[in-house]
Amino acid sequence: MKKCNFFVLFAIMLFFFRNGYGQENLTFTVNGVEFNMIFVEGGTFVMGCTPEQGDCYPGERPTHKVTLPDFFMGEFQVTQKLWTAIMGTNISQQWLMPQIAERRRLIKQKKDLANFENVVVPGAMWDVEGSMPIYAEDFSKIPLFSNVGDNYPMYFISHNDCELFCNILNQLLSDQLPEGYKFRIPTEAQWEYAARGGKMSKGYMFSGSDIIDEVAWYDANSEGKTYEIGKKIKNELGIYDMSGNVWEWCRDKYSETYYRSSPLVNPKGPDKGTEYVLRGGSWGQNMWACRTATRHKDDPAAYTTNYGFRLALEPPPKLSGSGFFGYTGKFTTSRLSSGKNLTFKANDVKFEMTFVEGGDFVMGCHSEHKNCDSIEKPAHHVKLSNFYMGKFEVTQKLWNTIMGTTVSQQRDSANTDWEIYSEGDQYPMYYVSYEECAAFCEKLNQSLYYQLPEGYKFRLPTEAQWEYAARGGSKSKDYSYSGNNKIDRVAWWEGNSGQKTRKVGLKSNNKLGIYDMSGNVWEWCRDWFEDNYYSYGSTTNPQGPLSGTHRILRGGSWNLKAWHCRVTTRYYYEPVGRSANVGFRIVLEPAKDLFDLKSLRNAVKLPTPSSSTNNRTFKINDINFDMIFVKGGTFTMGCTSEPNDCFSNEEPTHSVTLSDFYVGKYQVTQQLWKKVMGTTVSEQRNLLDSTLALHGEGNFYPMYYINHKECEEFCEKLNQLLAKQLPEGYKFSLPTEAQWEYAARGGRKSKGYIYSGDDNVKKVAWYEENSNDKAREVGMKKKNELGIYDMSGNLWEWCSDWFDGEYYSYSPSTDPTGPVYGYHRVMRGGSWRSIVQGCRVSCRAKNSPNERASNCGVRVVLVKRD
């Protein structure tokens, strides 16, 4: 068992749940779909194929030490349910997309214009161009996929699709994300570190075990298909399926020799390459592909049945107090003086940031202006907060200092036949894509960490910030161009540029003292482009549409007409595109530091307080546990499975009506028991016989060697310790036998399963055939319809009822509590040593109330007091 992350499974405090080292993990909800992000404490590890792993592939060596800062990693691979909630497409539609793309290419290649007159399928979301015919037979050709469902990992997704998913997710969850954090595809280093178990790594060959069948779906056990997430055991961090199931895209470009020169701190992969890294192996590969060190690669546009991904959640590259990549000094940066410009120095290159006081302005092309474009309307009021704007466009010298490439090298990475239109330190940088400019900002934040004002970071400007600064901010004179109505005074354009870029700052500045916001080179903005965004966009600090295929460009350039250089002109370009007339400038804006990750609660918008019909979380010191709300109802109690499975004491079946109650999401753990009762499992064993074996020991294993009387004492102490947290009129208790069976069956959500949560016992229970003769950490199997774990198998659970084999023949039909007296107490659920029949939801067992056993534990309920 390689699992440290018990409270990952407890999903406590609505949006927060703790992992093995006390740090809070995060839970997010988007469009009704919930997903968890596991905290990964940064550290140093050996990356690559180590000698003990045996034969290594060339790209996995040399091994090298890598240091990473803290981050979060998805508990599961991105599911089909989450993908559809964000992207709107399902597996069949994803399969169809490359088919349609290929047809579009062939038709355009053949210039088969007649086909463009065919009627498209109405509302087909993948027909984004509106001009590509899609025929009815296209849908009939979609294959039937056996591995389709909400909890299966998403596949038929390219690297490009995954990047778009992250961008949309960041905008949809902008009100839940801690300031400065964003979802990304993980780097290869982040992926391997998390797969190895981070600081809690036990050095396994696969993610979570040296036994591949415990952790992975691969060619020897998958039967040629993917499986639902989380069906294998988790790794040391509490993360599932990092070996097998589907390959996972990483954001690094691939180079077989990259490990020879990889940075030792937070590597992001090579700068150049045509393929991207995939990690983890899949259901279709052999066991060797599922090692934590295995590297795979493919084209970023590739779609297959075994390519998926998981999310990483990254902080901005600044750590407060505790340092950055080992730095332990004190930060002395003072607060900003409002209104003052700032000068920064990167190596020997200085650059200036101009203070822009926030305010309200009319964005877009006014009705009285001539030559307005439709995408510049309607003009609308926008309110912005304070920020800083680069005094000049980013120069070639500053780019080379941060990114290490020249304008010629940037040109060569696009097309060596293209021309250079001025080269030199003070010329604006060009032939840079949006993605490279965003990377520039990230590296700049890291390089100038000690110079940055507390809580600030460099970014590309929003379109609104750009236009406001170009107009002159609160000092605006409403000029057509940035600083004047006469274009030649402020801009290099086709009428005066001599068909090349010019050094920055040679024309007049605008009212804020900023140069070249009209002409010279187009400037990237961070907004996605949408032609009608002005009609519905936010009026306060707008960030642009949620998604798109192109990013905004502003300001015009040296080879275009005066019309393009107006402060209202909007243009757009593919994020990966490079051009001789496209550059950028940067902004510096507030981004509150939240690297004390325990304070993230203050940064995440929590839902409204839970009502009595919601699940509840309780806390004893640093230990949290969840109680699941069970809505009362009527059910058939007793043996409803096959007759030959039934025992006589499970009959007759009879109708029972129960009131509302809460039940523990998990069996009481050894950690929780010790906090309440003060004893360990070893000490409990010693009360019986110190020579007896322990069958699972650790914080997140269920408690055993406990008798019925001690479990009643546990409930009483729990009531005392949590008196101030208890809902009025409620108490903790052992469950009645009827409450137990109703919850195990799934309450009102029951699907009539034989076992608690499924008809396949192996999916939900640890029992004699799969337990390896011991209990297992709670929550490792599939939960039932109510979200409760281990109600079949692992440990028998004490109930409050006295046992009578004939009780069902005379039991009350409403809230039964068992016989008045007896010699034995009821036990339910089966255990790690039970046969399969013992794990059925209707199975009844008994034991002396004074008996302690290695396969008997407890789960509590929360009920109204008598």
Side-chain angles (χ1 to χ4, degrees):
M1 295 314 91
K2 301 82 185 171
K3 297 149 287 287
C4 69
N5 204 342
F6 168 72
F7 286 110
V8 141
L9 301 163
F10 263 78
I12 59 172
M13 299 192 71
L14 299 177
F15 270 81
F16 295 88
F17 51 106
R18 288 188 181 275
N19 64 18
Y21 20 70
Q23 178 56 59
E24 287 169 336
N25 302 320
L26 298 177
T27 298
F28 296 92
T29 301
V30 56
N31 292 337
V33 180
E34 186 178 278
F35 64 97
N36 297 332
M37 300 299 296
I38 304 298
F39 174 71
V40 183
E41 183 182 21
T44 301
F45 76 110
V46 177
M47 186 171 181
C49 183
T50 53
E52 59 269 20
Q53 291 197 7
D55 294 335
C56 300
Y57 298 129
E60 300 167 12
R61 287 185 171 174
T63 56
H64 55 293
K65 287 188 176 180
V66 170
T67 300
L68 294 176
D70 301 344
F71 60 98
F72 293 82
M73 182 68 82
E75 182 180 17
F76 302 109
Q77 293 160 340
V78 170
T79 62
Q80 294 175 25
K81 183 177 183 180
L82 181 58
W83 180 273
T84 301
I86 303 304
M87 304 295 284
T89 55
N90 58 33
I91 288 292
S92 297
Q93 291 167 334
Q94 286 294 132
W95 175 87
L96 189 57
M97 283 181 181
Q99 326 301 322
I100 297 300
E102 177 63 11
R103 173 179 296 178
R104 183 175 285 130
R105 185 188 69 80
L106 292 174
I107 288 180
K108 289 182 177 179
Q109 182 180 19
K110 295 178 180 179
K111 297 182 180 180
D112 187 6
L113 300 181
N115 263 321
F116 284 90
E117 298 176 1
N118 289 290
V119 178
V120 301
V121 175
M125 57 76 58
W126 49 79
D127 185 37
V128 293
E129 295 184 8
S131 60
M132 181 61 215
I134 302 176
Y135 305 103
E137 57 264 28
D138 291 320
F139 296 92
S140 65
K141 295 175 183 176
I142 298 176
L144 296 176
F145 301 103
S146 60
N147 40 8
V148 173
D150 285 349
N151 292 319
Y152 284 87
M154 190 64 186
Y155 52 93
F156 279 135
I157 49 177
S158 68
H159 188 278
N160 299 333
D161 292 333
C162 299
E163 290 279 13
L164 180 58
F165 177 97
C166 293
N167 289 331
I168 297 174
L169 187 64
N170 283 321
Q171 297 191 51
L172 288 174
L173 294 183
S174 60
D175 62 339
Q176 295 183 39
L177 282 174
E179 189 71 39
Y181 280 68
K182 63 181 177 181
F183 290 105
R184 298 285 303 271
I185 301 174
T187 66
E188 184 177 14
Q190 287 173 333
W191 191 96
E192 184 169 327
Y193 183 60
R196 289 180 177 275
K199 280 193 169 182
M200 309 179 89
S201 175
K202 296 183 180 178
Y204 296 126
M205 180 178 293
F206 310 104
S207 183
S209 180
D210 283 329
I211 303 172
I212 188 171
D213 286 290
E214 289 190 345
V215 293
W217 298 109
Y218 67 115
D219 64 355
N221 67 6
S222 70
E223 298 179 348
K225 62 181 180 180
T226 60
Y227 283 79
E228 290 185 332
I229 57 170
K231 299 303 182 184
K232 295 292 185 177
I233 67 172
K234 59 190 174 182
N235 76 359
E236 299 94 315
L237 291 171
I239 304 174
Y240 295 84
D241 300 307
M242 294 197 80
S243 287
N245 219 10
V246 291
W247 287 103
E248 300 180 15
W249 285 110
C250 294
R251 73 170 182 259
D252 310 49
K253 292 178 179 177
Y254 179 84
S255 168
E256 186 172 288
T257 61
Y258 180 63
Y259 282 8
R260 300 176 188 173
S261 59
S262 169
L264 301 182
V265 176
N266 208 21
K268 303 293 179 63
D271 293 329
K272 296 182 180 180
T274 59
E275 297 176 303
Y276 281 81
V277 172
L278 289 145
R279 286 300 207 112
S282 80
W283 56 266
Q285 266 67 46
N286 61 27
M287 63 181 293
W288 214 244
C290 300
R291 295 171 302 127
T292 55
T294 300
R295 306 176 72 208
H296 181 42
K297 65 185 187 298
D298 209 337
D299 185 274
Y303 290 77
T304 80
T305 56
N306 62 353
Y307 287 179
F309 79 117
R310 78 177 67 228
L311 294 166
L313 179 64
E314 293 184 337
K318 179 178 178 183
L319 297 175
S320 61
S322 60
F324 180 63
F325 300 152
Y327 175 71
T328 57
K330 294 183 178 179
F331 306 112
T332 58
T333 306
S334 61
R335 292 183 176 273
L336 293 179
S337 299
S338 181
K340 291 186 177 180
N341 300 334
L342 299 175
T343 299
F344 295 89
K345 187 175 182 180
N347 295 332
D348 61 341
V349 181
K350 291 184 178 180
F351 65 97
E352 297 177 64
M353 300 298 295
T354 299
F355 177 76
V356 182
E357 183 181 21
D360 186 297
F361 78 110
V362 177
M363 185 173 180
C365 193
H366 301 204
S367 57
E368 62 270 19
H369 291 172
K370 298 179 180 179
N371 299 321
C372 292
D373 191 279
S374 61
I375 63 175
E376 302 168 24
K377 292 181 175 181
H380 56 292
H381 280 271
V382 169
K383 186 176 182 179
L384 294 177
S385 305
N386 298 346
F387 62 97
Y388 292 77
M389 179 68 80
K391 187 174 183 178
F392 305 103
E393 294 161 326
V394 170
T395 63
Q396 294 177 25
K397 185 176 184 180
L398 180 58
W399 177 274
N400 182 258
T401 296
I402 301 302
M403 302 297 283
T405 57
T406 65
V407 71
S408 297
Q409 290 171 323
Q410 288 294 129
R411 182 272 314 274
D412 292 346
S413 63
N415 190 327
T416 56
D417 293 331
W418 290 353
E419 293 184 26
I420 297 296
Y421 296 89
S422 295
E423 188 172 15
D425 286 349
Q426 298 309 310
Y427 287 89
M429 190 64 187
Y430 53 97
Y431 286 133
V432 288
S433 69
Y434 173 90
E435 295 175 346
E436 290 168 325
C437 295
F440 171 93
C441 293
E442 291 184 359
K443 289 191 176 182
L444 193 63
N445 285 319
Q446 295 181 22
S447 298
L448 302 187
Y449 169 68
Y450 303 116
Q451 298 179 45
L452 280 175
E454 186 72 16
Y456 278 72
K457 68 176 181 179
F458 293 104
R459 295 189 70 179
L460 293 174
T462 65
E463 184 179 20
Q465 287 172 331
W466 191 97
E467 184 170 326
Y468 183 63
R471 288 179 176 275
S474 60
K475 302 176 182 180
S476 175
K477 299 291 185 180
D478 202 24
Y479 294 131
S480 296
Y481 311 103
S482 183
N484 208 291
N485 282 326
K486 296 182 178 180
I487 188 172
D488 286 317
R489 293 189 178 183
V490 293
W492 296 108
W493 60 293
E494 71 169 9
N496 66 7
S497 68
Q499 289 303 292
K500 64 180 180 180
T501 59
R502 298 300 183 105
K503 291 181 179 180
V504 298
L506 297 181
K507 292 291 185 179
S508 296
N509 55 21
N510 73 1
K511 292 299 179 180
L512 292 174
I514 304 174
Y515 293 82
D516 301 302
M517 294 197 79
S518 287
N520 218 7
V521 290
W522 286 105
E523 297 176 16
W524 285 111
C525 294
R526 70 174 182 257
D527 307 49
W528 290 106
F529 172 77
E530 185 174 318
D531 56 7
N532 66 341
Y533 178 68
Y534 283 9
S535 64
Y536 71 90
S538 173
T539 59
T540 301
N541 292 322
Q543 304 292 308
L546 295 178
S547 62
T549 58
H550 297 78
R551 296 284 186 177
I552 289 287
L553 292 169
R554 285 301 205 112
S557 74
W558 56 268
N559 62 347
L560 292 172
K561 299 182 182 298
W563 183 87
H564 294 96
C565 300
R566 296 171 304 124
V567 292
T568 60
T569 299
R570 305 178 73 209
Y571 202 60
Y572 52 93
Y573 201 37
E574 293 180 347
V576 296
R578 298 184 182 94
S579 175
N581 66 344
V582 176
F584 72 114
R585 78 176 69 225
I586 56 177
V587 295
L588 179 68
E589 61 182 8
K592 183 180 179 181
D593 289 313
L594 291 168
F595 278 86
D596 176 9
L597 293 175
K598 290 185 179 180
S599 70
L600 287 176
R601 184 182 296 106
N602 299 323
V604 178
K605 183 178 290 186
L606 296 177
T608 55
S610 61
S611 68
S612 61
T613 59
N614 285 336
N615 302 335
R616 289 182 176 269
T617 299
F618 295 88
K619 184 173 184 178
I620 301 178
N621 296 333
D622 60 341
I623 297 176
N624 297 269
F625 64 95
D626 274 359
M627 300 296 293
I628 303 296
F629 177 74
V630 183
K631 181 67 178 174
T634 300
F635 77 110
T636 299
M637 187 171 180
C639 187
T640 54
S641 50
E642 293 298 322
N644 58 352
D645 286 334
C646 297
F647 300 130
S648 61
N649 62 27
E650 302 168 25
E651 297 176 328
T653 58
H654 55 292
S655 180
V656 171
T657 300
L658 294 178
S659 305
D660 298 349
F661 62 99
Y662 296 80
V663 67
K665 188 173 184 178
Y666 305 97
Q667 295 165 338
V668 171
T669 63
Q670 294 175 25
Q671 183 184 48
L672 182 58
W673 181 274
K674 183 179 179 181
K675 183 65 65 175
V676 176
M677 300 294 284
T679 57
T680 65
V681 70
S682 297
E683 292 168 330
Q684 288 294 134
R685 182 269 317 271
N686 294 345
L687 294 174
L688 180 62
D689 184 346
S690 61
T691 65
L692 293 174
L694 292 179
H695 297 269
E697 186 177 16
N699 284 343
F700 313 132
Y701 283 85
M703 191 62 183
Y704 51 95
Y705 284 129
I706 50 178
N707 64 32
H708 191 274
K709 182 179 179 181
E710 289 168 331
C711 294
E712 289 181 321
E713 291 175 0
F714 174 88
C715 292
E716 288 305 313
K717 287 190 176 183
L718 206 57
N719 287 322
Q720 295 172 24
L721 290 169
L722 299 179
K724 293 183 179 180
Q725 298 182 44
L726 284 173
E728 186 175 356
Y730 278 76
K731 67 175 182 180
F732 288 104
S733 175
L734 297 179
T736 66
E737 185 177 14
Q739 288 171 334
W740 192 97
E741 184 170 327
Y742 183 62
R745 288 182 176 275
R748 288 191 172 189
K749 299 180 180 180
S750 176
K751 296 182 179 179
Y753 293 132
I754 298 172
Y755 312 102
S756 183
D758 208 285
D759 284 332
N760 184 342
V761 67
K762 293 181 180 180
K763 291 185 177 182
V764 294
W766 297 110
Y767 68 114
E768 65 167 8
E769 290 186 15
N770 66 1
S771 69
N772 197 26
D773 202 37
K774 65 178 181 179
R776 299 300 182 103
E777 290 184 351
V778 299
M780 292 176 56
K781 290 292 187 177
K782 177 184 175 183
K783 59 190 175 182
N784 78 356
E785 299 94 316
L786 291 172
I788 308 170
Y789 293 83
D790 301 303
M791 294 198 82
S792 287
N794 217 14
L795 291 181
W796 287 101
E797 300 178 13
W798 287 111
C799 293
S800 62
D801 306 50
W802 290 106
F803 180 84
D804 180 353
E806 304 296 323
Y807 181 64
Y808 284 9
S809 63
Y810 66 90
S811 168
S813 60
T814 301
D815 292 321
T817 57
V820 177
Y821 63 90
Y823 296 101
H824 298 90
R825 294 284 187 176
V826 171
M827 298 168 64
R828 285 299 207 113
S831 78
W832 53 268
R833 64 192 303 179
S834 297
I835 61 175
V836 64
Q837 287 89 343
C839 299
R840 293 172 299 115
V841 291
S842 61
C843 185
R844 306 175 73 206
K846 63 183 180 180
N847 207 348
S848 168
N850 295 320
E851 188 70 29
R852 295 185 179 90
S854 61
N855 65 338
C856 185
V858 65
R859 181 188 307 266
V860 296
V861 293
L862 183 65
V863 297
K864 289 185 178 180
R865 295 180 183 273
D866 297 331

